[in-house]
């Protein structure tokens, strides 16, 4: 039996109803699939309920995504009274977990590294959890499966393993260019590591978060690197593609691979990601003894740990508490009004973990500087995600299945083209408690490449919507069959 849930383009995952996938004559197992049919978010179905404690706090945080929970946890840790208001019935935002019939699914990220590290260069989440006195036990692994036009292979992280893949699937020139890239990038990691990841940003705010606070360590690393290295380090806050271009790397495989790594890391190609972010990744994934981490009990364990740490220091969270607007008086945010009509006072500040576009809609128009409003409206949004969640029998599945799988159908179209790249994870191979005995869970998704205009205005209960979802999800089913085998 296969249990499946296909989630479409809207933010919420409402009640589900059965549907059948288009018949595949090769498919030997019966399929139970589910599709969203209700177009109203959970918050409209909420019952009026009281908040935990008083309807006020020093700081009100809108949204319980990872960033919102990190912010709330650190504020609570440093003696601020914090209240997190979450519209959904589950905490975690895009990283929330959910359970269907004993199958526990990740809804968002599942590729992590650096959870076990400590110090200023640690994974930012590890730093926050450390400050809160919490930890997330992890299972370590060092590879993922890659399915690309050149062939299928197991890609291992580490300083030498990828050269073996290049030798088999690329060309001698690709090997030379990869070595050239590593020789240029890894020395820059000294400067990148002088800046804790939490301090890196792509605007002038970096002057306060990074330059002023970490100038001594930056200067020390520049001296160690010498003049040429120091000049190269000035590119840390520039797009990584500029480093690629300056090295005159032209091999198609190398450029495609770097674009893919950038896309996995940040959802953009190398021309849209800061060099510092990529260099962190290269230093973490291509050093001796490196490994990747997957949280025991799934990515929801991260959300649970952040909430536990926040509550330990007196922080509060309220689910099904949809913020309708931010209340501003005399140029200062004094609280929020909930959809239920309740007012929640913020004695010091309101922090929004909603998107910039949603936050703009929460604020009164007359208090928003036109320059900020215009900048938000000009900022392009990424395309949508489409998700496929499966629960299936482990019987007959190869023992070396592995957790992560990346399918690229056509390099020429680019990794950010729609219907081209599918990412899959089978976390139950590392954390068996995520599925009933003898079963697995699988999460496949199109990573921010699904054009929303195809769906805009469609009634989620209509036959047109269901037909479109069947058609557009077919690329994910093909990827699943490529990973699990044509007889799946």
């Amino acid at each position: 039996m296969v249990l499946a849930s296909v989630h479409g383009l809207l933010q919420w995952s409402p009640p589900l109803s059965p549907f059948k996938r288009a018949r595949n004559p090769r498919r030997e197992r019966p399929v139970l699939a589910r599709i969203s049919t209700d177009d109203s978010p959970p918050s409209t179905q909420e019952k009026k309920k009281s908040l935990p404690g008083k309807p006020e706090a020093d700081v009100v945080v809108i949204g319980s995504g990872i960033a919102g929970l990190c912010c709330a946890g650190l504020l609570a840790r440093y003696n601020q009274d914090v209240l997190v208001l979450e519209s959904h019935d589950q905490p975690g935002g895009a990283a929330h977990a959910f359970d269907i019939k004993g199958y526990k699914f990740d809804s968002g990220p599942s590729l992590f590294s650096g959870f076990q590290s400590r110090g200023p260069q640690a994974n930012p989440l590890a730093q926050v959890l450390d400050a809160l006195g919490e930890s997330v036990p992890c299972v370590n692994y060092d590879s993922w499966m890659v399915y690309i036009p050149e062939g299928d292979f197991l890609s291992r992280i580490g300083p030498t393993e990828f050269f073996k893949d290049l030798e088999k699937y690329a060309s001698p020139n690709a090997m030379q260019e990869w070595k050239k890239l590593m020789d240029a990038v890894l020395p820059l990691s000294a400067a990148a590591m002088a800046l804790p990841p939490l301090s890196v940003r792509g605007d002038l705010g970096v002057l306060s978060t990074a330059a002023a606070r970490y100038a001594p360590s930056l200067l020390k690393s520049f001296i160690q690197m010498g003049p040429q290295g120091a000049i190269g380090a000035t590119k840390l806050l520039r797009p990584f593609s500029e480093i690629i271009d300056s090295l005159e790397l032209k091999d198609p495989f190398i450029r495609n691979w770097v674009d893919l790594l950038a896309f996995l890391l940040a959802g953009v190609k190398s021309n849209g990601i800061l060099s510092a972010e990529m260099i962190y990744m290269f230093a973490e994934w291509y050093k001796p003894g490196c490994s990747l981490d997957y949280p025991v009990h799934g990515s929801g364990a991260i959300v649970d740990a952040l909430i536990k740490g926040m509550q330990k220091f007196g922080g509060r969270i309220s689910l099904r508490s949809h913020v309708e607007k931010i209340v501003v008086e005399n140029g200062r945010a004094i609280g929020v009004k909930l959809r239920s009509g309740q007012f929640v006072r913020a004695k010091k500040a309101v922090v929004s973990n909603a998107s910039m576009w949603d936050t703009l809609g929460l604020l009164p128009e007359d208090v928003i500087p036109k320059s900020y409003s215009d900048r938000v409206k000009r900022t392009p949004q990424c395309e949508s995600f489409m998700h496929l969640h499966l629960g299936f029998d482990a019987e007959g599945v190869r023992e070396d299945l592995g957790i992560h799988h990346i399918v690229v159908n056509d390099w020429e179209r680019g990794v950010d083209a729609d219907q081209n790249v599918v990412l899959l994870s089978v976390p139950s191979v590392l954390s068996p408690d995520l599925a009933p005995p003898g079963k697995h869970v699988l999460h496949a998704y199109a990573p921010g490449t699904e054009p929303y205009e195809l769906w805009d205005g469609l009634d989620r209960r209509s036959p047109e919507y269901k037909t479109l979802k069947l058609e557009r999800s077919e690329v994910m089913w093909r990827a699943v069959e490529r990973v699990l085998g044509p007889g799946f």
Side-chain angles (χ1 to χ4, degrees), residues 46-50 340 342:
E46 67 189 31
K47 296 180 180 179
K48 189 171 182 179
K49 63 184 185 65
S50 59
S340 65
Q342 184 174 15

Side-chain angles (χ1 to χ4, degrees), residues 418-430:
D418 70 300
Q419 301 274 292
N420 194 32
V421 174
V422 179
L423 308 182
L424 304 93
S425 66
V426 191
S428 50
V429 302
L430 297 181

Side-chain angles (χ1 to χ4, degrees), residues 33-329:
R34 298 183 171 215
I35 188 169
S36 303
T37 57
D38 183 0
D39 60 353
S40 58
S43 55
T44 65
Q45 302 163 5
E46 67 189 31
K47 296 180 180 179
K48 189 171 182 179
K49 63 184 185 65
S50 59
L51 299 170
K54 299 180 295 183
E56 67 176 22
D58 292 334
V59 180
V60 171
V61 177
I62 303 171
S64 67
I66 293 292
L69 291 176
C70 286
C71 173
L74 291 176
L75 285 168
R77 170 67 177 80
Y78 293 102
N79 303 314
Q80 301 299 309
D81 179 26
V82 181
L83 174 60
V84 179
L85 300 173
E86 169 58 52
S87 182
H88 205 282
D89 58 359
Q90 294 289 329
H96 78 277
F98 62 96
D99 186 312
I100 298 179
K101 297 184 178 180
Y103 294 85
K104 302 175 181 67
F105 295 102
D106 296 335
S107 69
S110 58
L111 181 63
F112 303 97
S113 65
F115 262 126
Q116 313 305 315
S117 60
R118 292 295 181 269
Q121 293 82 40
N123 179 310
L125 271 175
Q127 291 180 326
V128 173
L129 290 166
D130 197 35
L132 298 178
E134 299 294 329
S135 62
V136 177
C138 293
V139 182
N140 301 119
Y141 63 104
D142 66 354
S143 61
W144 61 78
M145 274 297 299
V146 179
Y147 308 79
I148 56 178
E150 291 84 352
D152 306 345
F153 61 92
L154 184 69
S155 178
R156 296 187 183 276
I157 61 174
T160 60
E161 295 296 329
F162 189 56
F163 284 101
K164 301 175 185 177
D165 300 329
L166 290 174
E167 184 177 15
K168 184 173 182 179
Y169 295 100
S171 65
N173 183 59
M175 295 174 64
Q176 295 171 7
E177 289 200 356
W178 183 255
K179 184 178 185 304
K180 186 177 182 180
L181 178 62
M182 292 296 100
D183 289 344
V185 164
L186 293 182
L188 294 178
S189 66
M193 293 304 184
L195 296 174
L198 285 174
S199 70
V200 174
R201 52 193 291 175
D203 57 18
L204 291 176
V206 74
L207 296 175
S208 61
T209 61
R213 184 172 300 181
Y214 299 104
S217 57
L218 273 173
L219 180 60
K220 181 179 178 181
S221 68
F222 287 166
I223 293 173
Q224 292 173 342
M225 293 163 64
Q228 287 300 113
I231 293 172
T234 61
K235 298 178 181 178
L236 289 176
L237 300 181
R238 300 291 302 163
F240 190 66
S241 58
E242 293 186 8
I243 291 180
I244 300 293
D245 292 339
S246 68
L247 295 172
E248 298 183 345
L249 302 185
K250 301 185 184 304
D251 186 89
F253 189 97
I254 296 300
R255 295 193 74 103
N256 286 330
W257 187 258
V258 171
D259 273 344
L260 180 62
L261 291 178
F263 198 69
L264 295 175
L265 188 63
V268 292
K269 295 197 293 188
S270 59
N271 61 359
I273 189 172
L274 293 179
S275 294
E277 295 180 69
M278 287 292 283
I279 291 169
Y280 282 132
M281 182 274 294
F282 276 113
E284 187 69 34
W285 289 4
Y286 295 101
K287 67 183 180 182
C290 57
S291 68
L292 300 169
D293 307 321
Y294 183 76
V296 177
H297 312 309
S299 61
I302 300 170
V303 175
D304 294 341
L306 289 170
I307 291 175
K308 181 181 176 183
M310 176 190 69
Q311 292 177 332
K312 180 168 58 181
F313 291 100
R316 296 171 287 153
I317 182 170
S318 180
L319 303 177
R320 298 188 181 91
S321 298
H322 183 84
V323 173
E324 194 107 272
K325 68 177 182 178
I326 299 171
V327 180
V328 178
E329 287 186 2

